[in-house]
Amino acid sequence: MNLLEVVTPVAASGLFTYAWLLIVIPAVSAAVLLLIGRRGDSWGHLLGTVAPILSFVLGLLLFVQLLGRAESERSVALDLYQWIPTGGWDVKVGLQIDQLSILFTLLITGVGSLIHVYSIGYMADDPKRRRFFGYLNLFIAAMLLLVLADNYLVLFVGWEGVGLASYLLIGFWQHKPTAATAAKKAFVVNRVGDLGMSIAIMLMLATFGSSAFTAVNAGAVSLDDRTATALGLLLLLGACGKSAQVPLQSWLLDAMEGPTPVSALIHAATMVTAGVYLVVRSHAIFAESQAASNAVMIVGTVTLLFGAWIGCAKDDIKKVLAGSTMSQIGYMMLAAGIGPAGYAFAIFHLITHGFFKANMFLGAGSVMHAMNDDVNMRHYGGLAKYLPITFATFATGYLAIIGFPFFSGYYSKDHIIEAAFERNTAIGVLALLGAGVTAFYMTRLVLMTFAGRKRWEKGVHPHEAPAVMTVPLIILAVGSVFGGLVLNNWINGWLDPAVGVAHDEAHAPSLLHFSMVGVATLIVVALGVAVAVLVFGPRKEIPVTQPATRSPLTIAGRNDLFGDAFNEVFLMRPGQRLTHNLLRVDDSGIDGTVNGTAAVIGGISARLRRAQNGFVRTYALTMVAGAAVVGAILVLGRLG
């Protein structure tokens, strides 16, 4: 595998010296909104919306600046201050603006800004709207720090900040026990992944003496296989937590308890993609360990099938989309595991997914807005007539995710399937199967929601959302249609230097191979759509209650493939037993030694204290006895 030499970032100059404002603007806005109190209730949502828009404008200007630079100067380093100067380590807080981080910056701030605008309408009646926007701004700031950091330790600060903001947003309606439990669950499961991240960073500091990307990339070539594999697997564990990949996927579906804009921002376009970013950014480590790369590819393949399976069994519109998110992130991880031939395609699909999945999540929020917050698709039907804008925009996201020709997913996901076939035929077949299942459950969702007869209860009056909610849907729909076409012939060359791939190593399948896989994918997708139409078509009678089933596949899907049971058996219970045994060792061993020593000294002291009774005759007797003993010793000494 021929990797380019490690790119040395150039020092920041001009506009790049202000790149820190990308993070500071939403961070300051979050601080104001969370500290000012109710005085900001009337205008807090406006400040919260302006902040990511300003960061987006600055990010766009920086992107234009990078476009105008020579390829060797498109990685820019901005040192901010010295953080940990100790021993042989000198950790600085710095930013790295390059081809990879700037794309994430534009995605986070661009899609994030649209979601903020949408939230103005969606959260209009919530008494805590100001706080909600403060949490959103906090998340944007943390996510930007994560992707702009120039070393793993600073990245980890953003990584944890994202986890905190996610916890606050998932549990925003904490008066609902399900929301509070979901937030706690997301926080705890992510701590498992974060343990892997923290150990990986410790290992980097011990091995390279630094956690800076440049130092790690330069030193990775000298790693032995065991160390490279250990680092890769630890980073993968962290990625599984943030990106809801098997076996740490169980938190994502419960996280739908948060407000729908949270699902669109955190669980579609940004936070769950952090694991993909981590793997791609760590390309130099995975290049030295085939075992770690294979593990990434296997985890991605398993997750894309698990997510699709769950999506087929759910009636909750947001949970179907959550299962879909798991599945699509699985495609990205699969591509990242393939290596240099898949890095650009992983990021390509990540960006297009950010458009069409945010579009569909916000569309689901518009449906819920029209249906009195009912999330059960069995209570929908025929909504295309009542929600024409929502339906039209949602349809673009649907066509994009199933890979309909010339929509964004058609380019990005098909590239991954092609690359998978070139790497391993079995993996390619499974990725192709996932595309067919995706077409089935997404067609099912659209038919149950927008087609057929109406099935809602009396008193529900579906109506289109206000313009502040529909305009972001329209903009995201445009991205769902044209995003893939715009990026398709450009993104490989743009990302190659940032992910260490020589131009002649870029994945370029032959025309025959592309034609064979492309046609096969379209056929499989068409079969998935056809099966869904046969089962859930407009003329089919869909019961308003979920029918009972004895099918093991359906039962497993409805129970999230028993992810919670798996975590309980293999993680929670062993953890409890380990903690109990450690507590026993602490109580009987460590504390027993300390307490026993204290008891012995206390007993001796108690006995000695008896001689200190305050009577002169006792002290006189003691002195006489002492004199007698001394005299006896002297006499015996002379006789001897």
Side-chain angles (χ1 to χ4, degrees), residues 266-290:
I266 296 181
H267 308 127
T270 51
M271 173 178 158
V272 292
T273 63
V276 181
Y277 170 80
L278 180 67
V279 173
V280 173
R281 178 61 83 184
S282 307
H283 59 85
I285 293 172
F286 286 97
E288 301 304 317
S289 172
Q290 192 62 56

Side-chain angles (χ1 to χ4, degrees), residues 352-373:
T352 59
H353 177 264
F355 285 119
F356 62 69
K357 185 54 66 64
N359 173 15
M360 289 190 288
F361 261 121
L362 295 184
S366 182
V367 171
M368 293 166 57
H369 178 269
M371 301 298 292
N372 295 345
D373 289 329

Side-chain angles (χ1 to χ4, degrees), residues 84 88-91 151 153 198-212 216 231:
I84 306 176
W89 300 341
D90 183 14
V91 180
N151 69 82
L153 202 55
S198 58
I199 296 175
I201 294 171
M202 296 175 199
L203 185 56
M204 289 176 190
L205 291 171
T207 304
F208 307 114
S210 173
S211 65
V216 172
L231 273 174

Side-chain angles (χ1 to χ4, degrees), residues 1-5 287 338-345 419 422 492-493 495-497 499-509:
M1 186 181 300
N2 297 320
L3 297 180
L4 293 174
E5 294 182 2
I338 290 173
Y343 290 143
F345 298 147
E422 287 208 339
N492 267 51
L495 283 176
D496 280 349
V499 297
V501 181
H503 288 296
D504 58 359
E505 292 287 327
H507 179 67

Side-chain angles (χ1 to χ4, degrees), residues 25-40 43-44 47-48 130-131 134 137:
I25 291 172
V28 170
S29 176
V32 171
L33 293 176
L34 296 175
L35 296 177
I36 199 170
R38 294 186 177 180
R39 289 171 294 176
W43 49 265
L47 173 63
R130 169 190 50 80
R131 183 185 300 176
N137 281 184

Side-chain angles (χ1 to χ4, degrees), residues 119-149:
S119 298
I120 293 175
Y122 190 87
M123 302 294 289
D125 298 324
D126 196 296
K128 298 179 181 179
R129 180 168 64 168
R130 169 190 50 80
R131 183 185 300 176
F132 180 77
F133 276 84
Y135 291 161
L136 285 182
N137 281 184
L138 177 63
F139 173 81
I140 292 287
M143 191 69 196
L144 286 171
L145 178 62
L146 190 159
V147 300
L148 288 170

